[in-house]
Amino acid sequence: MSPRGARARRANGKKHATWLAAGVVVLGGTGVTAVAASAGGEDTGPGDGTQSAKAHVLALDGKDPKKRALPRTGTQTFSLIGVSWADSSDTFEGTAQIRTRKAATGEWSEWRDLDLDVRAPESTEGEEPDVRGASEPLWVGPSDGVEARVVADGEETAVPDALRLDMIDPGETVKGKGSDGRKVSGKGGGKPTASPDATQATPAGPTPEPSDPAPTDASTTIAPGNTPGDTTGDSGSGEASQPPTEEPTGSTGTPEDPAPSTTPTESAPGTDPTDTPTDAPTGTPTDGPTDGPTDGPSTEPPTSEAPTDPTPSAVPTQEPTGPAPTTEPTQTPEPSTTTPTTPTTPTTPTTPTAPAIVSRAGWGADESLVQNPPSYLNKVDAVFVHHTAGTNDYTCADSPAIIRAILTYHVRTNGWNDIGYNFFVDKCGTVFEGRAGGVDRPVLGAHTYGFNSYSSGISLLGNYEAGGTPTAAAQKAIADLAAWKLGLHGVDPEAKVTLTAAADTGVWTKGQAATLNTISGHRDGYATLCPGATLYSALPGIRTAAGGSPYATGN
């Protein structure tokens, strides 16, 4: 059992935004203090296309040391809820349950358990003075009322100090232009819709079932991520992320700064995907041909790319009377009988080099919440699979709003610098960028206590412990994403790896050598039910699928 009372926390000089807004009200008849809080301090986020999320808290005061109860109470509108307390080292092992009232119908839900298996990261991020203990957040959809009960069970002698409910309104997407410059529309969980002239990538994976259509921007092109420390909200611009000035030296596993060409389905402006990758200056003679005769006919008239200062021996002395010459001036054009009547198959690979990933700008991240630049690992040795422990009743159009709310909860409730998971996947198989820093870079996350410094975290939206079953689309997306992420570091997704536990996790003791699958479940590293029984039982098949994925190393 963890001790009661506050612990001494080491302040390391980093600053977090002051977030509690002025204005404390007492709800009539409840005796419960409510503190209104705004995630960004403004009604509109830093991007032009979203209204920022808002946080509201209800302090759960009372005289009984072993329990707290909140009668049915009207609240400001929220869609995600959790419970938190002052001391993040206090691993509360009691029970916390809530009921919520739907804003649209006034109907009250059944009692729902909040998952308390959460620990602050073992890195210095978890030692910030703002860090609180907290449950996993629960997505309940738009609600305007709550009832709660928290009980210290078993060997627990008291509920945690400064206990409160944390309720998050995820904000909404505003009609007009989003923070990444695309035309968007819709409220709440509505996903941005790319304008008709926008270049889109088609994600790998099965087509979602008609009853639960894929979100309108499921094909959003991968964005390598925010430039660390950038708070403009333009992480979805498609430009490659740049390394932070604080990146640790000796990060041998850190990939080189990604070029925009890592985006698999977008060509650089003015290029033809059928061209050979070797880029000689257009029209400049070379020592050898740049295109073999089997590459198909030239798509441009040769006279339009004539060299400005040709070598005399490389220029025809008269206009040829046969077929149009190719771009190789030193070779005699092939006879017309060898020229195909239709263009040949493009030489570029048909399989993209990376999965399609919705950028942070694509789901409406409020970058003003993130106060410190990301940290990086030397290498990603493993991927841990999680579930959000929320609800399975969401629609895929809700996914951006769910992730916005989790970002606000992780920063404003948990006190972390950014969202904890590196990636999210929804039941339609859409992949979303999580923590900022570059999807193709080894960003240090806050997802698997004791093993964050070796791994990347993928969280599937939903609850897979209480009967939910991961869809085939979600499993394939997780497999492809894990194969790609591990493949960037030459790691076999079907192999095992031995890692040293950085903390006591309930499964491993600090300093113990832990042999794990390179694709593991959260419960393999930390004492938790996450990622839920049905998702955990699907992991062997996910590993096999990852090994055969086109994104795996060597495939």
Side-chain angles (χ1 to χ4, degrees), residues 181-412:
R182 293 181 296 135
K183 295 179 181 179
V184 296
S185 62
K187 293 185 177 181
K191 282 199 169 189
T193 303
S195 58
D197 59 345
T199 302
Q200 300 186 34
T202 302
T207 302
E209 298 178 0
S211 61
D212 193 5
T216 56
D217 70 345
S219 59
T220 302
T221 305
I222 181 173
N226 295 356
T227 300
D230 182 12
T231 59
T232 62
D234 283 331
S235 59
S237 64
E239 295 184 2
S241 60
Q242 297 297 322
T245 57
E246 295 184 12
E247 182 176 355
T249 58
S251 299
T252 56
T254 304
E256 295 294 329
D257 291 344
S261 60
T262 56
T263 302
T265 55
E266 291 189 347
S267 299
T271 62
D272 186 343
T274 62
D275 290 343
T276 304
T278 303
D279 293 330
T282 305
T284 303
T286 63
D287 293 335
T290 58
D291 290 307
T294 59
D295 285 342
S298 171
T299 58
E300 297 290 338
T303 56
S304 66
E305 300 295 337
T308 58
D309 188 19
T311 304
S313 61
V315 179
T317 56
Q318 62 182 10
E319 190 71 18
T321 58
T326 63
T327 57
E328 298 80 19
T330 58
Q331 291 190 354
T332 303
E334 292 289 339
S336 59
T337 57
T338 64
T339 303
T341 57
T342 58
T344 58
T345 302
T347 58
T348 53
T350 57
T351 301
T353 57
I357 301 175
V358 177
S359 70
R360 287 170 64 93
W363 53 262
D366 182 353
E367 301 297 356
S368 69
L369 295 176
V370 182
Q371 298 298 301
N372 299 314
S375 297
Y376 292 89
L377 316 177
N378 287 331
K379 178 184 179 182
V380 174
D381 293 291
V383 165
F384 283 96
V385 177
H386 305 255
H387 68 164
T388 58
T391 178
N392 300 316
D393 295 333
Y394 70 93
T395 68
C396 291
D398 291 328
S399 299
I402 295 173
I403 300 171
R404 287 199 303 273
I406 293 174
L407 167 63
T408 305
Y409 188 89
H410 281 180
V411 175
R412 297 309 183 201

Side-chain angles (χ1 to χ4, degrees), residues 120-148:
E122 70 276 17
S123 63
T124 56
E125 181 179 356
E127 298 178 351
E128 289 287 337
D130 309 5
V131 174
R132 294 174 61 85
S135 70
E136 287 281 8
L138 177 67
W139 177 262
V140 294
S143 305
D144 61 4
V146 64
E147 183 178 1

